[in-house]
């Protein structure tokens, strides 16, 4: 029998047991060891598989992990669903979002890439380095998702060729994974990435800066995060002084920003050329999860229609929470009107009694179910506004209050409510200023899978969510580990506290 490398296999892997039921995923391909990772074509296919498996892993988990446990949404109808459990804090260990197998599948793919790319026959060293940068950055990003969701997680940095002989590893503490795995991977990626790589469906140097600064914030190293964002600004321009040749800009016009969410990919032929920007012009998006069934396969079409709703008068899984609805409605009743109400929301029913997030569809439009499968939709992982609001939070925590408010000002200028910016005298403590920035980020980035992570990073979960769904312990900042994983781990993992 040929020696087979299962390079698409999840690296958490059913280590130490005799079948692959532990991860419950089949390998995507089995390639004879002497025929893979030989040349540029092989490596390009391997990198494409990393992104394909990442799209699949985040297709639903993008919403489950980053949005649905937060105070952004309530149920449109009381129908059984995973999102219902998340919103109501009825967490069980059989929910799909508690299973890390799909994420470790991506990590496994990156481990094979990191091991084998250096030996591949690729004459263009810059291209070879960039492939390696993609693998390091994606591994760092996947572990970053893992620690934010589960806290301590097992760490695998070598590929596993034979799951029957693999080792079950215990869980490594979150801070250690951040410090010793995620940040070094991202720093390695930064040193290798080709600056001419500008395709937003893959990780560019700009995206690496974003992920790195975010991870440094989670580690509590705000000085390092501030310096990383400064490097981003030096390379791509600041909102006050954008660079004319930069692909990544803070878009000051909300109509143009809306267009980036809705129209820029319409009718554009797909491409995998990292030096060509598929969007065709500078915009806010830095790294996106591209969901389109005709390009990315059956498991990679957008769930935006199902989750946020498909248009005026049509239902959705969730609608805006009463808290956010009141904030938006209050802003519309005042002068100046907040432009985000019109561009980010629409009525969920003709009575307008509740609102859908409508960032991803043209204002006033509705989309038929038959059309949504092939729609060109991107889930933003990072856009320029993330950079602005991350640095505002950092500045607040470094007690540079006016600099923090100056950054928030750019976001309110675009929303048409610049006159509503707070003053330093409005705050008595650093925490009050941080809360203000998080509130502004919630309004601006609703529907972009940020709110839950912001609450967890700042330990605001109990304070914010207890009155809403009864979360009463900081331990519930973490998700439970899926029971299937626990049952088949041979006792290597203990369930997270509280589950």
């Amino acid at each position: 029998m040929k020696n087979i490398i299962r390079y698409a296999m999840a690296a958490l892997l059913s280590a130490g047991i005799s079948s692959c039921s532990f991860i419950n995923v089949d390998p995507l391909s089995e390639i004879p060891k002497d025929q893979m990772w030989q040349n540029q074509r092989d490596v390009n296919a391997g990198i494409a598989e990393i992104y394909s498996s990442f799209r699949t892993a985040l297709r639903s988990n993008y919403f489950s992990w980053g949005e649905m446990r937060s105070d952004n949404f309530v149920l449109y109808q009381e129908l059984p669903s995973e999102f219902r459990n998340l919103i109501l804090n009825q967490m069980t260990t059989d929910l799909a979002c508690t299973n890390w197998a799909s994420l470790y599948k991506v990590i496994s793919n990156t481990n094979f890439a990191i091991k084998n790319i250096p030996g591949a026959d690729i004459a263009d060293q810059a291209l070879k380095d960039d492939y390696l940068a993609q693998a390091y950055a994606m591994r760092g990003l996947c572990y970053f998702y893992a620690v934010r969701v589960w806290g301590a997680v097992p760490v695998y940095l070598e590929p596993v060729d034979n799951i029957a002989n693999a080792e079950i590893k215990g869980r490594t503490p979150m801070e250690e994974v951040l410090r010793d795995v995620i940040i070094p991977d991202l720093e390695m990626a930064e040193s290798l990435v080709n600056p001419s790589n500008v395709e937003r469906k893959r990780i560019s140097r700009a995206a690496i800066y974003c992920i790195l600064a975010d991870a440094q914030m989670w580690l509590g190293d705000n000085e390092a995060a501030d310096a990383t964002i400064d490097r981003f600004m030096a390379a791509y321009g600041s909102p006050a002084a954008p660079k004319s040749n930069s692909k990544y800009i803070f878009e000051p016009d909300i109509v143009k920003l809306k267009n980036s969410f809705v129209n820029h990919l319409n009718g554009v032929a797909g491409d995998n050329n990292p030096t060509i920007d598929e969007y065709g012009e500078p915009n806010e998006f830095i790294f996106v999860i591209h969901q389109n069934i005709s390009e990315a396969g059956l498991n990679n079409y957008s769930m935006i229609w199902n989750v946020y709703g498909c248009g005026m008068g049509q239902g959705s899984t969730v609608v805006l929470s009463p808290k956010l609805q009141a904030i938006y409605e209050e802003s519309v009743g005042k002068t100046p009107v907040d432009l985000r109400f019109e561009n980010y929301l629409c009525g969920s029913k003709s009575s307008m009694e509740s609102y859908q997030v409508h960032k991803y569809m043209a204002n006033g439009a509705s989309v038929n179910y038959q059309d949504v499968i092939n729609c060109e939709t991107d889930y933003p992982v990072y856009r320029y506004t993330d950079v602005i609001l991350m640095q505002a939070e950092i500045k607040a925590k470094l007690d540079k209050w006016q600099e923090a408010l100056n950054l928030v000002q750019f976001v309110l200028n675009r929303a048409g409510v610049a006159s509503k910016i707070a003053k330093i005298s409005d705050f008595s403590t650093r925490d009050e200023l941080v809360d203000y920035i998080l509130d502004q980020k919630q309004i601006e980035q609703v529907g972009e899978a940020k709110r839950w992570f912001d609450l967890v990073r700042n330990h605001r979960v109990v304070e914010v969510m207890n009155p809403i769904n009864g979360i009463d312990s900081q331990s519930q900042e973490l998700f439970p580990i899926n029971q299937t994983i626990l049952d088949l781990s041979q006792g290597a993992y203990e369930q997270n506290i509280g589950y």
Side-chain angles (χ1 to χ4, degrees), residues 56 59 166 172 200 272 279 328 335 418 477 481 491:
T56 301
R59 177 172 171 258
T172 301
R200 300 162 207 264
N272 288 309
Y279 282 84
Y328 278 111
T335 302
E477 292 176 356
I481 300 171

Side-chain angles (χ1 to χ4, degrees), residues 448-460:
E448 297 180 44
K450 299 294 180 181
R451 178 62 174 174
W452 176 254
F453 292 143
D454 287 340
L455 293 177
V456 174
R457 184 181 63 254
N458 289 282
H459 301 297
R460 302 295 203 267

Side-chain angles (χ1 to χ4, degrees), residues 338-356:
D338 193 323
L339 299 174
R340 291 174 293 194
F341 187 91
E342 176 186 359
N343 287 283
Y344 292 176
L345 306 178
C346 81
S348 63
K349 297 198 303 183
S350 58
S351 63
M352 301 291 285
E353 65 185 47
S354 56
Y355 295 89
Q356 299 169 353

Side-chain angles (χ1 to χ4, degrees), residues 10 79 203:
L79 298 176
I203 291 182

